[in-house]
Amino acid sequence: MKDAPTTSLERTLRLIQSVPDRLPVALLLRHSARDDITDGGTGLDLPLNELGVRMCHELGKALTGRIRSAWSSPVLRCVQTAELLCQAADLDKTVNLDRRLGAPGVYVIDEEIAWNNWLAKGNHGVIKHLVSGVGALPGMADPTEAANALVTHILCDSGCEHGVHVFVSHDSIVAPTVARVFDADMPTSLWPEYLDAAAFWPSEGGYEVRYRGMAASVGKSA
């Protein structure tokens, strides 16, 4: 009999257990579960569904005593994810809204122009282009430059306080950031599902990164 497949929540719970306790760790996290977005819609006002709320409670409990701050894309489902994680972890801090985790942000420079990429390619097509790192789409930054800028930003915002600092974002941001950091054209099977996360923490001369069983040490020049 084959083992049951590992869920995204289980992967993130294992990731949290594996990161260092005595360093600031930036957890770049895709938001929790929502209903499907209608064709051609932005889904900006789409909230978490019942499953998404339950997943947040379970992950938040695992973060009790370890989470130190929470940052979120301004999009509703991301804000809800961050707030529910903090509530479940008994962290009495306000969630910080950060457009760099959404759009416009490090990937999207001109929101109106960039939206045409989603209309033409769909979300899957845009992510596929970004993870490949082949160059900038109209209205968007070079994906490798954007990924490096975002990692630098979240490590900076994590500061010097030991513990986990959560940054809630979208698959179209988490996937290319991880792919460009690992310098690999990530297959669709490794794209982030709901609450999948990558962990980053400082090391001598650069930083460490972990994602779905992959690990790398990245120098400052990367």
Side-chain angles (χ1 to χ4, degrees):
M1 178 181 295
K2 292 183 179 180
D3 292 336
T6 303
T7 68
S8 54
L9 177 56
E10 289 170 337
R11 285 193 293 267
T12 300
L13 290 171
R14 291 178 184 176
L15 178 63
I16 291 169
Q17 293 303 315
S18 71
V19 301
D21 290 324
R22 298 187 177 277
L23 288 172
V25 177
L27 196 70
L28 182 60
L29 183 79
R30 187 187 177 190
H31 59 76
S32 196
R34 52 152 172 77
D35 292 337
D36 293 337
I37 297 174
T38 57
D39 290 342
T42 64
L44 293 178
D45 296 324
L46 197 61
L48 299 181
N49 57 26
E50 184 177 346
L51 172 62
V53 172
R54 292 201 307 269
M55 291 172 67
C56 285
H57 281 300
E58 186 169 348
L59 179 57
K61 288 179 181 178
L63 286 167
T64 302
R66 299 195 65 182
I67 185 172
R68 297 293 178 261
S69 66
W71 306 72
S72 173
S73 158
V75 172
L76 176 61
R77 55 186 174 273
C78 294
V79 177
Q80 288 180 320
T81 297
E83 289 178 342
L84 288 170
L85 290 177
C86 291
Q87 291 171 14
D90 291 326
L91 179 69
D92 187 19
K93 285 189 177 180
T94 301
V95 172
N96 303 286
L97 300 186
D98 188 345
R99 285 194 172 275
R100 280 171 284 198
L101 296 167
V106 292
Y107 284 91
V108 174
I109 299 171
D110 188 309
E111 195 170 9
E112 184 174 350
I113 295 174
W115 176 238
N116 291 322
N117 300 318
W118 269 267
L119 293 177
K121 296 175 176 290
N123 193 55
H124 185 279
V126 171
I127 296 176
K128 185 174 179 62
H129 180 98
L130 293 177
V131 300
S132 71
V134 296
L137 289 167
M140 302 183 71
D142 176 88
T144 300
E145 293 177 1
N148 289 335
L150 182 59
V151 173
T152 298
H153 170 63
I154 64 176
L155 286 171
C156 180
D157 276 349
S158 297
C160 299
E161 186 176 8
H162 299 173
V164 177
H165 302 264
V166 175
F167 297 82
V168 185
S169 190
H170 308 267
D171 56 350
S172 58
I173 290 178
V174 178
T177 299
V178 173
R180 295 296 85 229
V181 163
F182 281 99
D183 194 22
D185 189 355
M186 184 191 301
T188 306
S189 60
L190 290 180
W191 291 6
E193 299 175 7
Y194 298 127
L195 289 188
D196 258 326
F200 303 83
W201 62 88
S203 64
E204 185 175 355
Y207 62 87
E208 301 292 320
V209 57
R210 302 289 185 273
Y211 176 77
R212 293 187 66 162
M214 300 184 293
S217 298
V218 182
K220 288 183 177 178
S221 61

